[in-house]
Amino acid sequence: MLDKLFKPKSIAVVGASTNKEKIGNIILRNIISTFSGKIYPVNNKSDNVEGYKSYKSLKDINETVDLAIVAVPRDSVPDVIQDAIDSGTGAAIIITSGFKETDQHGAELEEKIKSMASGSGLRFLGPNTIGIITPSFNGTFAFSDNIKGGAALVAQSGGLGVYMLNWAQKTRTGISYFVSLGNQTDIKESDIFEFLANDVETKAIFSYLEGVSDGDAFLNTVPEVTKKKPLIFLKGGTGKSGTAAIKTHTGSVAGSVDIFKAAVRACGGIFVESLEDMLNIAKLVSSSESVSRDILVITNSGGHGVLTSDAIESYNLNEIEIPDRIKENLKKVLPDQSVPRNPLDLSGDADSERYKGAIELTKDLDCTKLVIVQSLPMVSCTDVARAMIRYRGKSLVGVTMGLDEDAASRILESAYIPAFKFPEDAVKAIKYMTDRMEPVRKIRIPQPVSEAWKIVSGKSYIRDFEALKIMELYGIKTPRYGIAMDAETAQKVADDIGYPVVMKISGDEPLHKTEMNGVYLNVERDMVKDVFNRLNYKRVLIEEQLNGAEIFIGGIKDPVFGHTVVAGIGGIYVEVLKRLAYALSPVSEEEAEYLLNESNISKIITARKRNYDKNSIIRAISNVSRMIVDLNISQLDINPLIVNETGAYAVDVRMII
């Protein structure tokens, strides 16, 4: 329970300076101007701060304080936390920076306050936070004049959090809570999400994260949150430079952004690529309009209609077919040169009455009505906005383009209809909102196949022929294969398999066989001994040569989210194309199919009228997701998995425990 943090009846500001330029003073003044409960400045050098009696320490206050906001030098923080514990303070916000994000001494101090608070009953946010804003007080050192509303903002970066507050103010987006997470030494992002999920005022949660503090808590908490309300994520540290910067910013481990995306998707959240995307989604979730993947475009500009159609196709959304009965009625509204089809081009001479007529006839269609207006001499954006608000609740999304677009946006937003400046932004926001998965909790209970467990026990690397055996034990097909230590045995193995065969070096450690010239294809009977001698290696793996599409399936144990499956186009193209898709183990067949579509595997196996066995890939992905958990595999590469009409075959496998 975080009620003492978010709903205190009394607040103490420790480090409440008399200097108006100091953070402690700014926080105190913000508290005074917004909070109706009891306020206690704590300053060991002054008896009065901003007209309030000041106390030397928390212990000098005659009653128990619900919330202490701490803004003192870092070396003094442990003493303040001890005072808070001794005086029974309910919660604390540690504004002070200079902890694990700075140096070793800071990291030691942070660990000390964590240890002190653990088990004491005191919960604290931070350190290295700018504070929180709730419906009843502003506990930050940022100026905020936001209107109250349904959007909660959760930011690991204080600066970016302030930008989000400024944006909300400019766009008149109502805020329920703002939380600057800081270093998350005690209270984590999952704790905040859980509180906000149960807050009746909060309609959607927008979160900027640089790293997840506890992957297991995230995977357990977020699915429950997204069942109740949208949770939108933007992540920092998506590149190497950004990852390095995070270590000095909040001391977080950035983790793989691709695996973070997979975690968000599995939990039913929305991952966005940019702050702009996040802000555009806010327009939808703050509105009264429901949106769907099926879209009808209404516009007075053919060019805008074409560009919007392109965006709809690009984002794999659906442009609806207008029913015949409505087409007939639309002919009475449209000019002779206009055809009643989607996009519905009202023509450049359209006025607000024509817009109103088109919306009236299509209002009950089960789709998103994307209404675009380009201001022209015959119509203004505000004219169309006024026409649209009569149809509030009919799945309307507005796009206003012209000199009066801002005024028109205000009219729409006052009626809780989302308004955009560009149709592409609107379509992308709809894509994000309608692409959410049903949230699932990833339950991982290892149940290894006993024979496979015997193979991996006590080993760090599994040799290729052993890895092929494990594939078979987990229901994944392999080509016929065998190993040989000498040329005579190689000949016998190849004869048993049948020709042509593939011959490759087989090591006791991970090898890049192709780079070492350690793979020969199309080996016929009279070539076997010669190829064995050319390979000149202690052990050679001989396999049936298969034809088909080359797929890549991988597995990795992520330090934050655990075992994850990766899929993409295989062979040499893995490194070149880098079109990979990720899913957290265990992977359902539905999720596996998503991986095939996201990575373009589906296109490869159906190109040129191929009828390759799609279901065998889905089963292989699902089985691999179970196997890497069962055997606690840290890295797995199946490259290639060859797929043809008869199934999917693991041809080359590299496995590290």
Side-chain angles (χ1 to χ4, degrees):
M1 293 294 291
L2 299 177
D3 283 352
K4 297 292 186 183
L5 175 69
F6 288 115
K7 300 176 181 180
K9 295 179 180 177
S10 58
I11 301 176
V13 179
V14 184
S17 174
T18 56
N19 184 341
K20 292 187 181 296
E21 295 182 357
K22 295 289 187 179
I23 285 176
N25 183 278
I26 298 170
I27 293 172
L28 178 62
R29 283 187 283 126
N30 277 342
I31 295 291
I32 292 170
S33 66
T34 58
F35 185 57
S36 60
K38 295 179 180 179
I39 301 172
Y40 302 104
V42 176
N43 182 322
N44 59 11
K45 296 178 182 178
S46 177
D47 295 330
N48 187 288
V49 183
E50 296 296 329
Y52 283 76
K53 179 184 175 181
S54 181
Y55 297 82
K56 301 299 181 186
S57 73
L58 286 169
K59 292 191 292 185
D60 291 332
I61 301 172
N62 293 328
E63 59 181 88
T64 302
V65 174
D66 285 343
L67 173 64
I69 302 178
V70 182
V72 300
R74 68 175 183 175
D75 288 315
S76 300
V77 171
D79 291 337
V80 174
I81 294 301
Q82 189 61 58
D83 285 350
I85 294 168
D86 293 343
S87 60
T89 302
I93 300 172
I94 303 175
I95 303 293
T96 310
S97 60
F99 289 87
K100 70 181 180 183
E101 79 278 6
T102 302
D103 55 27
Q104 182 60 34
H105 177 58
E108 291 168 359
L109 284 173
E110 188 167 332
E111 190 59 37
K112 182 177 181 179
I113 60 176
K114 178 181 179 181
S115 178
M116 291 168 64
S118 178
S120 71
L122 177 74
R123 300 299 309 272
F124 69 89
L125 182 69
N128 188 27
T129 170
I130 69 168
I132 67 174
I133 297 174
T134 78
S136 59
F137 69 92
N138 177 359
T140 75
F141 55 88
F143 172 76
S144 175
D145 189 24
N146 295 94
I147 61 174
K148 293 181 181 180
L153 309 179
V154 181
Q156 201 163 351
S157 162
L160 195 136
V162 171
Y163 176 85
M164 293 167 76
L165 284 172
N166 293 341
W167 160 82
Q169 185 177 342
K170 290 177 182 177
T171 59
R172 303 168 299 283
T173 300
I175 299 300
S176 58
Y177 288 85
F178 166 78
V179 182
S180 168
L181 291 169
N183 290 6
Q184 305 187 80
T185 308
D186 175 35
I187 295 173
K188 315 292 187 188
E189 74 280 322
S190 295
D191 298 318
I192 303 297
F193 296 154
E194 187 171 19
F195 172 85
L196 294 172
N198 295 312
D199 177 65
V200 294
E201 299 299 325
T202 298
K203 306 304 180 188
I205 306 166
F206 298 83
S207 179
Y208 169 79
L209 294 181
E210 293 174 346
V212 172
S213 58
D214 185 332
D216 288 338
F218 186 98
L219 295 177
N220 287 329
T221 302
V222 173
E224 300 306 313
V225 175
T226 59
K227 288 176 184 176
K228 299 176 180 178
K229 57 195 65 174
L231 178 48
I232 298 95
F233 291 94
L234 174 64
K235 188 179 188 300
T238 59
K240 292 181 180 178
S241 297
T243 301
I246 279 175
K247 293 177 182 177
T248 58
H249 188 201
T250 59
S252 299
V253 177
S256 163
V257 67
D258 293 307
I259 295 175
F260 178 76
K261 286 182 189 178
V264 169
R265 178 173 174 77
C267 293
I270 300 171
F271 179 91
V272 297
E273 303 286 349
S274 69
L275 186 59
E276 183 180 12
D277 289 344
M278 176 177 277
L279 304 184
N280 282 330
I281 288 178
K283 297 178 181 181
L284 293 182
V285 299
S286 302
S287 77
S288 60
E289 306 303 295
S290 61
V291 294
S292 71
R293 301 178 63 85
D294 300 322
I295 299 174
L296 169 65
V297 180
I298 302 173
T299 179
N300 64 341
S301 165
H304 290 321
V306 170
L307 292 175
T308 306
S309 290
D310 289 344
I312 291 170
E313 182 178 349
S314 173
Y315 290 118
N316 293 317
L317 300 176
N318 179 42
E319 209 169 57
I320 71 157
E321 178 70 28
I322 300 173
D324 289 340
R325 58 182 176 80
I326 293 179
K327 283 183 180 179
E328 290 304 314
N329 289 327
L330 282 170
K331 288 177 182 178
K332 302 171 186 176
V333 174
L334 298 176
D336 293 340
Q337 71 270 22
S338 294
V339 180
R341 63 188 176 201
N342 194 5
L344 186 57
D345 185 356
L346 304 182
S347 189
D349 62 352
D351 57 12
S352 61
E353 287 300 314
R354 192 176 296 168
Y355 268 96
K356 195 192 314 180
I359 298 171
E360 174 66 31
L361 290 170
T362 59
K363 66 181 180 180
D364 293 324
L365 290 177
D366 186 15
C367 66
T368 303
K369 291 87 179 177
L370 185 56
V371 182
I372 305 168
V373 54
Q374 171 66 60
S375 64
L376 292 169
M378 284 67 68
V379 71
S380 68
C381 296
T382 52
D383 289 339
V384 175
R386 291 190 186 98
M388 288 176 65
I389 62 176
R390 301 180 185 185
Y391 298 95
R392 175 184 168 184
K394 293 295 184 179
S395 300
L396 297 180
V397 176
V399 178
T400 59
M401 308 178 76
L403 295 177
D404 64 337
E405 60 189 32
D406 289 337
S409 293
R410 286 194 291 271
I411 291 171
L412 291 173
E413 288 164 358
S414 69
Y416 298 98
I417 296 173
F420 294 84
K421 298 293 178 63
F422 298 100
E424 295 87 350
D425 290 342
V427 173
K428 190 174 185 182
I430 293 167
K431 163 76 170 178
Y432 278 128
M433 285 297 294
T434 57
D435 248 11
R436 285 179 290 171
M437 266 184 58
E438 283 296 314
V440 293
R441 293 185 66 179
K442 295 292 184 177
I443 299 171
R444 296 160 172 166
I445 302 174
Q447 294 178 314
V449 175
S450 58
E451 194 173 342
W453 184 252
K454 290 177 184 177
I455 295 173
V456 304
S457 292
K459 297 175 183 175
S460 58
Y461 172 69
I462 308 305
R463 296 174 293 184
D464 50 13
F465 62 93
E466 294 173 321
L468 289 171
K469 177 63 177 176
I470 291 172
M471 294 294 112
E472 294 170 344
L473 292 169
Y474 274 87
I476 300 166
K477 290 182 177 181
T478 64
R480 288 174 289 170
Y481 68 92
I483 56 171
M485 307 291 192
D486 57 65
E488 292 298 329
T489 305
Q491 187 72 64
K492 183 177 184 308
V493 169
D495 286 346
D496 289 343
I497 291 172
Y499 296 95
V501 295
V502 179
M503 296 178 66
K504 58 184 82 171
I505 57 176
S506 173
D508 294 328
E509 297 294 334
L511 301 172
H512 289 286
K513 298 174 183 178
T514 302
E515 294 176 10
M516 296 173 64
N517 296 319
V519 179
Y520 279 77
L521 304 174
N522 299 308
V523 179
E524 298 293 347
R525 189 175 194 285
D526 59 349
M527 301 164 59
V528 172
K529 292 182 179 178
D530 179 53
V531 169
F532 183 92
N533 292 327
R534 288 188 194 180
L535 287 170
N536 191 27
Y537 210 76
K538 63 180 180 181
R539 184 175 60 244
V540 171
L541 176 67
I542 305 167
E543 291 181 329
E544 171 189 12
Q545 182 163 314
L546 300 173
N547 295 314
E550 295 190 349
I551 306 302
F552 168 78
I553 298 177
I556 188 170
K557 188 176 183 181
D558 182 71
V560 178
F561 292 111
H563 288 102
T564 305
V565 174
V566 193
I569 297 169
I572 61 172
Y573 298 108
V574 163
E575 303 280 344
V576 177
L577 297 179
K578 295 183 179 178
R579 182 67 186 261
L580 300 172
Y582 296 73
L584 273 58
S585 293
V587 179
S588 67
E589 292 195 355
E590 180 185 358
E591 289 176 289
E593 186 157 10
Y594 166 80
L595 295 187
L596 299 194
N597 295 331
E598 186 71 9
S599 62
N600 281 343
I601 291 174
S602 291
K603 292 181 179 179
I604 293 294
I605 62 175
T606 56
R608 298 181 179 178
K609 298 183 179 180
R610 290 169 173 166
N611 190 28
Y612 290 171
D613 190 350
K614 175 181 176 180
N615 289 332
S616 68
I617 312 175
I618 290 173
R619 289 192 297 271
I621 290 172
S622 186
N623 291 348
V624 163
S625 78
R626 182 167 58 90
M627 177 183 68
I628 59 179
V629 172
D630 286 351
L631 305 180
N632 198 24
I633 294 168
S634 63
Q635 292 180 46
L636 171 72
D637 285 359
I638 305 176
N639 189 23
L641 179 86
I642 291 183
V643 185
N644 54 35
E645 294 88 344
T646 64
Y649 300 82
V651 170
D652 201 88
V653 184
R654 185 163 57 168
M655 188 181 295
I656 299 174
I657 305 300

